[in-house]
Each structure stands twice: as C-alpha cells, then as structure tokens.
Amino acid sequence: MTGVQTCALPICISTKTPVLFVLMPFGDGRKLTFDLPDGQKHHVTCNFDQWYEGILKPAGVDAGFLVKRADDELKSGSVTEQFWDDLQAADVVLAFLTGRNPNVFYELGLAHREGKPVLLVVDKDENVPFDIKHLRHYQYDDSNVDRVGTFKPGISACLKAIAADPDGAVIPLYGRRKKPK
C-alpha cells in the first residue's frame, strides 16, 4: 500500500492509492495445451511477462492503481504468506485465466472467498470454467493482431468501472465486501 498523508490544521486527510493484485503465471513464450470441455485440444503460446509488463500493468496504472504481481518483489520467506499478504492488501484483483493455470484458479477462489472485487481476463470463452462462466469477464482475441492495441484501454476501462462500483464485482454468494473499520 502506498499513501500520502497531508495535514492542514485542524483536519488530517490520508489518501491511499488503490492496489490491483494480478493473478497469473510467470514466464515467457510458453506453449500451453489443454483439453476443452468438448474434448478438443486448445493450444496457446503466451508470453505472460510481456502481457503483465506491456498490457496488464499499464492498464492498471492508467485506471489509477498501484499494480502488483507476486514476483514483483523477491523476498526470502514463505511464498504462501507473501501471496496472502498481497491478496489482503489488494483493493481489486485481476485474474488472467489464459492457459487455465491451476494456481491462478486456486488464488481466484481465495480472492472470491475474501470478498475481493475481481476482473477476469481470458482469451476464449471456452477457457472459463462452468462455475464462473456467469461472471463478467474481459475476453480478448489474440488471433487478431490488429486488435492488440485495444486490450490495454479495454482492460483499463473495466478496472475503472470496478473502482467506481467495487461491490458489483464481488460474487454475491459470499456476501458483499467487508467495509473497512
């Protein structure tokens, strides 16, 4: 969390830049193959680090967030505890579902359980499992190179909408977001 505190007697105002925590695999240029529900194979090559640095992080910054990913800070200690601290500190979570990474889905479940507003980003509708298919998600078409320039502003617009109405991006099953004390 970052914050600026300005003090003018007799009133103190503290402002905090909201934090966007990104759930996604790390690495570059991995070719992924996985089975779709209809039995077909889906192949995708995704440079996750390029997506993070070139699209997701700038989109979050443009929407007014401090953007973090679990590997942004190399620290000693428990990765699980560091993830949990980052998740707790997040105001909004972005889950990059392309590649159907099991860790991302596990972390997404924890974010939902904590009542965090979440933006789902995915390459194909078929890659959104049944249990969360009813949730709004930003779908991009990476087969159309001409549209790559629209991804960042599209994701930024979604994040701005979530920032304006965070409760609207929380799964009702777990109740509304906990109000800060």
Side-chain angles (χ1 to χ4, degrees):
M1 291 186 186
T2 63
V4 176
Q5 191 168 32
T6 53
C7 230
L9 295 177
I11 300 171
C12 254
I13 301 171
S14 180
T15 59
K16 175 185 139 315
T17 303
V19 176
L20 172 68
F21 188 46
V22 178
L23 311 177
M24 69 183 305
F26 316 134
D28 56 354
R30 282 192 249 169
K31 184 168 185 177
L32 307 167
T33 302
F34 48 90
D35 296 320
L36 295 174
D38 63 4
Q40 295 182 5
K41 298 270 187 212
H42 178 64
H43 307 281
V44 63
T45 301
C46 189
N47 186 323
F48 295 109
D49 292 344
Q50 273 186 347
W51 258 96
Y52 178 64
E53 293 295 335
I55 297 174
L56 302 177
K57 190 172 186 178
V61 169
D62 180 59
F65 289 92
L66 170 67
V67 183
K68 291 187 75 175
R69 187 170 77 167
D71 67 334
D72 279 347
E73 297 176 39
L74 298 177
K75 305 183 236 179
S76 62
S78 167
V79 173
T80 305
E81 285 181 30
Q82 292 166 14
F83 161 78
W84 189 250
D85 291 344
D86 287 339
L87 180 63
Q88 294 297 306
D91 296 288
V92 174
V93 173
L94 184 151
F96 192 71
L97 304 180
T98 298
R100 298 182 77 148
N101 182 286
N103 290 349
V104 172
F105 282 98
Y106 175 76
E107 293 165 352
L108 173 61
L110 293 173
H112 282 155
R113 178 61 189 105
E114 287 301 300
K116 296 291 182 176
V118 176
L119 171 61
L120 305 176
V121 177
V122 66
D123 61 340
K124 297 188 181 329
D125 192 50
E126 302 88 50
N127 289 338
V128 182
F130 173 80
D131 291 352
I132 59 172
K133 201 175 228 23
H134 67 284
L135 301 175
R136 290 185 190 265
H137 51 276
Y138 179 85
Q139 183 179 338
Y140 66 91
D141 177 6
D142 64 352
S143 66
N144 185 346
V145 178
D146 297 331
R147 294 202 53 225
V148 170
T150 66
F151 298 167
K152 186 169 68 172
I155 292 169
S156 181
C158 291
L159 290 169
K160 287 176 184 176
I162 290 171
D165 179 23
D167 286 343
V170 176
I171 292 183
L173 177 65
Y174 297 118
R176 291 292 168 209
R177 286 183 71 199
K178 298 171 189 152
K179 300 297 180 201
K181 294 180 181 179

